[in-house]
Amino acid sequence: MRLIAVALTALCWAVLPAAAQSVAERLPACLACHGENGQSQNTGVPSLGAQQSYYVTIQLLMFRDHLRIADPMNDMAKGLSDDELTKFADIISKLPAPQPVAGPVDDARMARGRALVEENRCNFCHTATLVGQQNVPRIAGQREEYLVKALRGYKDNSRRGYDSSMADVVPPITDEEILDLAYYIARVKS
Amino acid sequence: MLRRVSRGTLLAATLTLLASTAIAQQQDNSAQAPAASAPAAAPAAEPTPAPAPAPIPVAAPAPAPPTTAAAAPPADKLLPGSPLFDRPANNDAASKLAPVPPPPVAVAADKLPIDKLKAAKGFKIEVYASGIADARSLAQNDDGSVIFVGNRVRDKVYAIVNKRGKREIKVVAQGLYRPNGVAFKNGTLYIAELYQIDKIDNVLANLDKGPQKPTVIIPGLPKDEAHGWKYLAIGPDNKLYFEVGQPGNNVLHDKDHGILHRANLDGSGLETIATGIRNTVGFDWNPRNHELYFTDNGRDWMSEDLPNDELNRITKLGEDFGEPYCHQGNIPDPTFGWGHDCKDYVPPIALMGPHAAALGMKFYTGSMFPARYRENIIVARHGSWNKTKKFGGDVVMVQINKDGSAGAIEPLVTGFLQPDNNYIGRAVDVMVMKDGSLLISDDWNGAVWRLSYDSAHTASR
């Protein structure tokens, strides 16, 4: 299973276009990795469906200007104008929202995750349904391993936010809690 | 508008009451507390608690989705004895709070909201420079003809060059890591990145040759993103001063955080001169006695109205200002305050308002403004996000008494925060120019404003 995921990821990277193409030309490559229906099937690649367009604009700008380093996104965003960033963000925000992880759930973990969401006030900025608002991203239904990676990155300062909101709130969260948070957020129905 | 009063609101109200009492008992602070919490120009309109939409985030942000109750059952059914017991679950107002990021692109010169800014009577506000995305801290060369501007969320240091009556904007350095702090002395520009201090010698001679490469003079400072960006200033002792803030909203930490440092101009002799500081993003020295004054931002999420940001004064080396154990001189932290007494820490000389984000500050040493401004402190209050009805979003004067204590706080420039509870600009740093006018940086608009006074021209705009 893991091998298949790795192979898929390699496949989607293979279709990366050369830089300096238009929005229409680049979009198929974006969706090849991130998923045409807004739902990523690739390990480590986030789902982007119904993502907040303002958040996407800021992230693309950060990739373009090397304020956030994440292969291959810095190359993908290279040379995009501010208008093009906006166009991408608009298109991405209109993709269908990712579906929560299906199948049987561990009720105790869901309860712990939900409690942690409230204890750490994730629901204040990301809203009660975790769909985000403006510069605060939708996290509901995001890939579980991506959520873990993002939270660990904020905690060890390797993930650079546009501002320090996440860096401010993660210090008291343990790694065990990060796993429960990601488990819950990936499965919560928004 | 009627709203159910949650337990959280009651808790906040109780805290407010307790603290008001505490403040009233503390005679030094009682005088300015009302001024800090109710500036004359504060908008009186009904708050709109939605987060401020950015004026030009390249795209118009999508409207915030409706917040509905989460599908899962209430927390008290899930985890008896959980820390959520007295916490507001899905409090409608609180769930609409979110940090307000600066728009990533500077506002075009002809779209700057200058008509919405209001200066005190007799003062005039105008655009000094625009097109400087994320304009943060300010510094100037010896004759004031070149102004340096740092970045916090972006990677550049800019210079505004005045030449033959024209102003040009140049990139002095780029590819830097949160280069928020800038200072200038004897031809050298000093830059504070998040985890190191740099310098560029002979910076003025090479401004026309494109971005210059800084040399690191103090490497290896902590890399924490939370409160890691730095203000930088050179003291009357010819030393560099900068902070390492607390690595989180409210956390216990080691001795390498929550402190103010100083070092020689070549980077040697690094020492800690004060502790217990959460996040100062502005300091300056009293011209009368060279005592260092600094702003410090209070913690988030304790309540809507507490704690206040602080204005502090260092009277001797090694003083502890109380964070994270004691806030604003009289509130023990609900988590970390146990076993600690606020009396053991140096209290602030003024309270700058709840979540106000009091940032850059300077003693007014010019001669253009009326005499009553002279040798008082001018502070940029960036404005709150962790508060339903936003607070701050202005530039204020804090009166400093002859004995070094603080008096009243009064507004100097308002309007960055509009009556509809949205920002149209946010002041970051202030700097007194050679002619006595005041520059104000604004990281929302990517602009620098100039405040001047004309005794003959008393119309205020």
Side-chain angles (χ1 to χ4, degrees), chain B residues 102-444:
Chain B
V105 177
V107 173
D110 59 350
K111 300 239 163 55
L112 286 169
I114 188 162
D115 291 340
K116 291 184 173 170
L117 297 181
K118 288 195 164 53
K121 197 173 179 196
F123 288 88
K124 183 178 117 183
I125 187 125
E126 64 195 304
V127 179
Y128 185 80
S130 62
I132 305 175
D134 186 35
R136 294 282 298 186
S137 305
L138 299 168
Q140 62 185 315
N141 70 340
D142 295 339
D143 65 7
S145 62
V146 178
I147 311 301
F148 297 99
V149 188
N151 267 181
R152 178 171 76 110
V153 296
R154 302 189 68 129
D155 65 332
K156 293 178 175 57
V157 172
Y158 293 90
I160 307 166
V161 180
N162 289 273
K163 211 185 270 177
R164 291 185 280 279
K166 274 190 162 179
R167 269 178 219 134
E168 281 179 54
I169 294 164
K170 296 173 186 296
V171 175
V172 181
Q174 62 186 14
L176 306 180
Y177 201 90
R178 302 200 188 278
N180 185 74
V182 284
F184 181 91
K185 189 95 184 183
N186 297 334
T188 298
L189 175 68
Y190 298 86
I191 302 168
E193 294 186 77
L194 183 124
Y195 55 84
Q196 61 191 16
I197 311 296
D198 315 320
K199 69 168 183 173
I200 300 175
D201 285 329
N202 210 14
V203 64
L204 299 172
N206 299 308
L207 287 177
D208 290 333
K209 296 178 189 161
Q212 303 176 48
K213 180 117 185 69
T215 308
V216 179
I217 56 170
I218 302 177
L221 297 167
K223 292 196 172 183
D224 302 278
E225 287 284 323
H227 309 145
W229 66 93
K230 301 184 180 344
Y231 196 76
L232 184 68
I234 296 170
D237 55 0
N238 231 16
K239 286 174 187 273
L240 287 164
Y241 284 73
F242 57 91
E243 73 135 5
V244 179
Q246 293 187 346
N249 168 40
N250 194 48
V251 285
L252 289 178
H253 52 79
D254 60 21
K255 284 182 176 171
D256 295 331
H257 292 83
I259 54 181
L260 193 65
H261 274 314
R262 76 175 170 192
N264 298 318
L265 292 180
D266 63 2
S268 66
L270 182 67
E271 61 181 330
T272 300
I273 61 159
T275 62
I277 300 167
R278 183 176 173 275
N279 184 32
T280 175
V281 195
F283 34 86
D284 195 19
W285 288 262
N286 190 331
R288 291 192 187 107
N289 59 7
H290 290 181
E291 280 179 347
L292 176 58
Y293 287 64
F294 65 94
T295 55
D296 194 12
N297 290 183
R299 61 162 291 188
D300 302 321
W301 298 121
M302 197 170 107
S303 81
E304 286 262 353
D305 299 323
L306 288 170
N308 281 266
D309 284 1
E310 303 172 353
L311 178 63
N312 291 301
R313 171 173 62 144
I314 298 178
T315 55
K316 58 175 187 285
L317 289 183
E319 285 178 324
D320 187 336
F321 291 84
E323 297 286 342
Y325 308 108
C326 173
H327 309 295
Q328 68 166 58
N330 57 10
I331 305 176
D333 185 75
T335 305
F336 302 127
W338 298 95
H340 295 266
D341 188 336
C342 279
K343 287 195 190 78
D344 295 335
Y345 305 105
V346 181
I349 61 161
L351 302 181
M352 299 304 296
H355 310 294
L359 302 186
M361 54 154 279
K362 287 285 186 310
F363 280 87
Y364 183 73
T365 50
S367 51
M368 177 191 278
F369 293 3
R372 56 188 297 270
Y373 288 90
R374 210 173 150 71
E375 299 187 346
N376 288 323
I377 298 176
I378 297 174
V379 185
R381 294 197 296 192
H382 202 227
S384 68
W385 63 265
N386 193 218
K387 186 166 165 51
T388 305
K389 182 171 168 35
K390 294 188 178 73
F391 179 84
D394 52 17
V395 177
V396 297
M397 178 186 75
V398 184
Q399 286 178 359
I400 298 299
N401 304 318
K402 285 236 157 55
D403 65 0
S405 63
I409 298 173
E410 62 178 76
L412 190 54
V413 183
T414 57
F416 294 104
L417 173 56
Q418 288 286 295
D420 65 3
N421 206 33
N422 288 318
Y423 291 110
I424 52 114
R426 296 184 90 180
V428 176
D429 197 11
V430 292
M431 185 171 70
V432 183
M433 297 290 282
K434 304 298 166 193
D435 66 358
S437 63
L438 185 82
L439 293 191
I440 302 163
S441 60
D442 176 343
D443 65 352
W444 182 273

Side-chain angles (χ1 to χ4, degrees), chain A residues 122-162:
Chain A
C122 312
N123 53 337
F124 277 41
C125 298
H126 291 276
T127 77
T129 50
L130 304 183
V131 298
Q133 52 180 331
Q134 300 193 13
N135 59 303
V136 182
R138 161 189 283 271
I139 49 175
Q142 185 53 271
R143 291 184 62 88
E144 185 175 355
E145 90 287 343
Y146 183 79
L147 291 165
V148 170
K149 182 171 90 170
L151 285 167
R152 284 179 176 160
Y154 283 123
K155 198 169 162 69
D156 70 14
N157 295 304
S158 60
R159 167 78 188 260
R160 190 177 177 187
Y162 188 61

Side-chain angles (χ1 to χ4, degrees), chain A residues 52-54 57-58 61-62 64-65 67 82-83 85-86 89-90 110-112 114-116 118-121 123-129 131-136 154-155 157 159-165 167-169 171-172 184 188-189, chain B residues 51-54 57-62 64-65 67-68 70-75 78-79 83-84 87-90 94-99 101-105 152-155 177-178 223-227 229 247-249 251 300-301:
Chain A
Q52 298 292 332
S53 65
Y54 188 32
T57 302
I58 288 176
L61 177 131
M62 289 178 72
R64 183 192 69 185
D65 295 354
L67 302 173
D82 292 345
D83 280 349
L85 300 183
T86 310
D90 281 349
M110 288 299 278
R112 286 205 301 274
R114 181 176 185 274
L116 286 164
E118 294 190 359
E119 182 183 339
N120 293 290
R121 302 186 179 85
N123 53 337
F124 277 41
C125 298
H126 291 276
T127 77
T129 50
V131 298
Q133 52 180 331
Q134 300 193 13
N135 59 303
V136 182
Y154 283 123
K155 198 169 162 69
N157 295 304
R159 167 78 188 260
R160 190 177 177 187
Y162 188 61
D163 61 20
S164 69
S165 319
D168 273 355
V169 297
Y184 169 76
V188 68
K189 292 178 176 60
Chain B
V58 247
T67 54
T68 52
L78 295 170
L79 275 190
L84 307 183
R87 216 170 274 245
N90 298 326
S95 73
K96 286 171 185 144
L97 288 176
V105 177
R152 178 171 76 110
V153 296
R154 302 189 68 129
D155 65 332
Y177 201 90
R178 302 200 188 278
K223 292 196 172 183
D224 302 278
E225 287 284 323
H227 309 145
W229 66 93
N249 168 40
V251 285
D300 302 321
W301 298 121

